[in-house]
Amino acid sequence: MKRIVWSFFILTAAMALQAEDGHQLWLRYQPVNKAKVVTEASSPTISIAKQELETYYNGENVTLKLDATMPDDDGYRIEGSTISARRDAGLLYGAFALLRGQYGDSHPTFNLRLLNHWDNLDGSIERGYAGESIFEWFKLDEQLIRDYARANASIGINGSVLNNVNASPKILTTPYLKEVKKIADILRPYGIKVYLSINFASPMALGETKTADPLNKSVAKWWQKKAKEIYKLIPDFGGFLVKANSEGQPGPGDYNRTHADGANMLADALKPFNGIVMWRCFVYGANHKGEDRVKQAVSEFKPLDGLFRDNVILQTKNGPLDFQPREPYSPIFDQIKKTPNMVELQITQEYLGQSRHLVYLAPMWKEFFDYVSPSQLKGIAGVANIGKDRNWCGHHFSQANWYAFGRLAWNPDLSSNTIAEEWLELTFTNDKRFVDSMMRLMEMSREACVKYMMPLGLHHIFKFDHHYGPEPDGFIASYPLEWCPVYYHKANNDSIGFDRSHTGTNATSQYRKDIADMYDNIETCPEDLLLWFHRVPWTYKMKDGSTLWESLQFEYQLGVIMVETMQTTWHYKMRNFVDEQRWREVDERLADQLQNAREWRDVCLNYFGQFATKQ
Ligand code: GCV
């Protein structure tokens, strides 16, 4: 009897171990303990590479070789059973590539491949939809941080900004810095540097200076001393990310100083330690109040181009507004020529159904690279979608966006389909019947989202603050106009859309000539951005001869049909390929997504119909 109970216990324990709750991400290799790894080099990073291969590689022997003749980056070469790299991080990336079954030479396009966490010190996450922060101050779960580091290393991410850009000054106090050091020590062997978002007014807010004026000597001194303290604890600390004079955050503008004055003061403090400043261009409503919001970043930063220290990088969101499901690229990337640029993408789906909707973001990011060449960029940052939820991202398919971000940060030439295929095989199964269907489904998911949320270039018609559902009638007089949906669609009985052509705000003129001409002319403007750039009569004839109003109805309806296809495919055809828990959890979310898509269609068409049918 006793034996039966015991073996039952062992059996259920084993089943529990195998429970597919998504925590293993795309790293679900089974231990085979077969490979022997030979290497003359040694470092904590190489030990991890060795251990990964010895545990999971299904071949006999692997040699890891540091090769000083290779290009000075994080790349690697896999030839036969030898992985060579210039840096030990390259050997680790090579080890993960070999485990994925990839061979040959591979070098990262961007040297800076960073996650930006919008995690607050109290454990909450701004725009986080997967539970609380994994960075639990003063009670760190070291294993969780190690798992996080391993997942990042497996896709080549080499930096983490640990805290929200709306930053608490407290992060720079000694007790917190000691905790940051603990995290940095865990991430380091995985090739990941730690960075911090800082509050520009920190010295004053902490009561240590009377002002935060960047040209004040005591302020500059405070930052120099702080930099020294940080680097003593964390010698390879990456640097600061700064949101200044934006959405209520303090900045140099509070003292009539420029962004360059502010960034340079911080850059000087970090320079002796090789640290960098990533200064965000997401600004509106301050110096250029009243100007079309999408123009304000260029208006603010173009005159400063060339005035920044060489360790300052300007970090700009992919689009000029705010992470909408479809935006044209930000014209900053055409206008800032003398200062290095980084692009900020958003992995967390603030305006794309958060962790409730299956929306694969790689096609959207690829669209950005169709217009902005990676060679123009020094780095890439992704606002993370990671939290303490067991499956890390809230939705099993949101893991694909973390994965895709890392893979594109390494190689933006990869197709979104290739990345989806890789991820599906690693995360679920390599059964072609599943992978082929799901690749199609993932690829269409972003376009579906655009259609049911913002067809034909409509934008920012999201519910106030939480940005989840539709609110096309949104207008509250006490809020800034730029937060109100009606400001963006401007629907009336004649027309709809925002005129940003030369007859309107002339935002089109901020683009390089060929693109400016294309967007400015209603005939050549792509129809999927029509209402972003033009004010268009309801009776306007689209390229296929239908009216604008007919097309708008068609697009909303098509968005819903696409989600119906996604939901029915998963519900009726995918069940046999996926474990019960993950199948059910995705199924429930797809049912919600379908309901939400219908709500978007109905609310928006009812609202716009009031105007459109008054012709
Ligand atoms: C971190 C948008 C978001 C804010 C975010 C801000 C930014 O406005 O809604 O939550 O703040 O962008 O990127 O700074």
Side-chain angles (χ1 to χ4, degrees), residues 84-135:
S84 323
R86 170 87 172 238
R87 302 179 185 163
D88 56 1
L91 293 179
L92 182 58
Y93 298 140
F96 281 113
L98 186 60
L99 288 171
R100 282 196 293 268
Q102 293 166 345
Y103 297 86
D105 269 49
S106 190
H107 295 273
T109 298
F110 304 112
N111 290 333
L112 294 169
R113 306 176 298 276
L114 269 51
L115 284 184
N116 286 185
H117 290 269
W118 286 357
D119 295 20
N120 299 313
L121 302 188
D122 66 0
S124 62
I125 304 180
E126 182 151 353
R127 311 306 177 186
Y129 313 105
E132 299 234 301
S133 173
I134 59 168
F135 304 115

Side-chain angles (χ1 to χ4, degrees), residues 152-276:
N152 280 330
S154 76
I155 49 176
I157 288 168
N158 70 351
S160 292
V161 183
L162 302 182
N163 60 320
N164 191 356
V165 288
N166 293 326
S168 164
K170 270 200 312 206
I171 190 73
L172 292 179
T173 58
T174 307
Y176 276 94
L177 289 177
K178 286 190 173 153
E179 289 288 293
V180 174
K181 174 193 162 47
K182 284 190 202 157
I183 297 173
D185 288 346
I186 299 173
L187 301 194
R188 186 173 299 112
Y190 290 89
I192 301 168
K193 277 189 186 178
V194 152
Y195 300 74
L196 292 177
S197 294
I198 59 105
N199 180 303
F200 195 79
S202 293
M204 188 170 77
L206 295 171
E208 295 176 28
T209 58
K210 290 206 175 70
T211 166
D213 180 350
L215 299 191
N216 178 289
K217 282 212 173 89
S218 65
V219 172
K221 254 214 172 101
W222 186 90
W223 284 103
Q224 285 157 16
K225 225 174 108 202
K226 194 44 80 180
K228 225 182 223 167
E229 180 188 351
I230 295 173
Y231 280 92
K232 197 156 178 231
L233 289 165
I234 309 161
D236 58 350
F237 178 71
F240 295 147
L241 173 63
V242 193
K243 172 176 178 177
N245 294 121
S246 168
E247 300 187 329
Q249 292 302 311
D254 303 345
Y255 309 93
N256 291 321
R257 313 295 186 200
T258 68
H259 287 283
D261 293 328
N264 290 344
M265 182 271 295
L266 295 173
D268 289 342
L270 297 176
K271 181 80 177 173
F273 312 99
N274 295 320
I276 60 169

Side-chain angles (χ1 to χ4, degrees), residues 527-546:
E527 286 191 343
D528 56 17
L529 286 172
L530 189 65
L531 304 177
W532 184 286
F533 285 114
H534 296 277
R535 181 150 185 77
V536 186
W538 291 109
T539 50
Y540 175 81
K541 283 272 181 312
M542 303 291 284
K543 296 207 170 76
D544 65 3
S546 61

Side-chain angles (χ1 to χ4, degrees), residues 284-293 296 299-300 480-482:
Y284 64 92
N287 289 344
H288 296 269
K289 212 175 171 147
E291 189 181 37
D292 180 358
R293 176 168 158 186
Q296 293 185 33
S299 302
E300 185 80 22
L481 209 49
E482 297 128 315

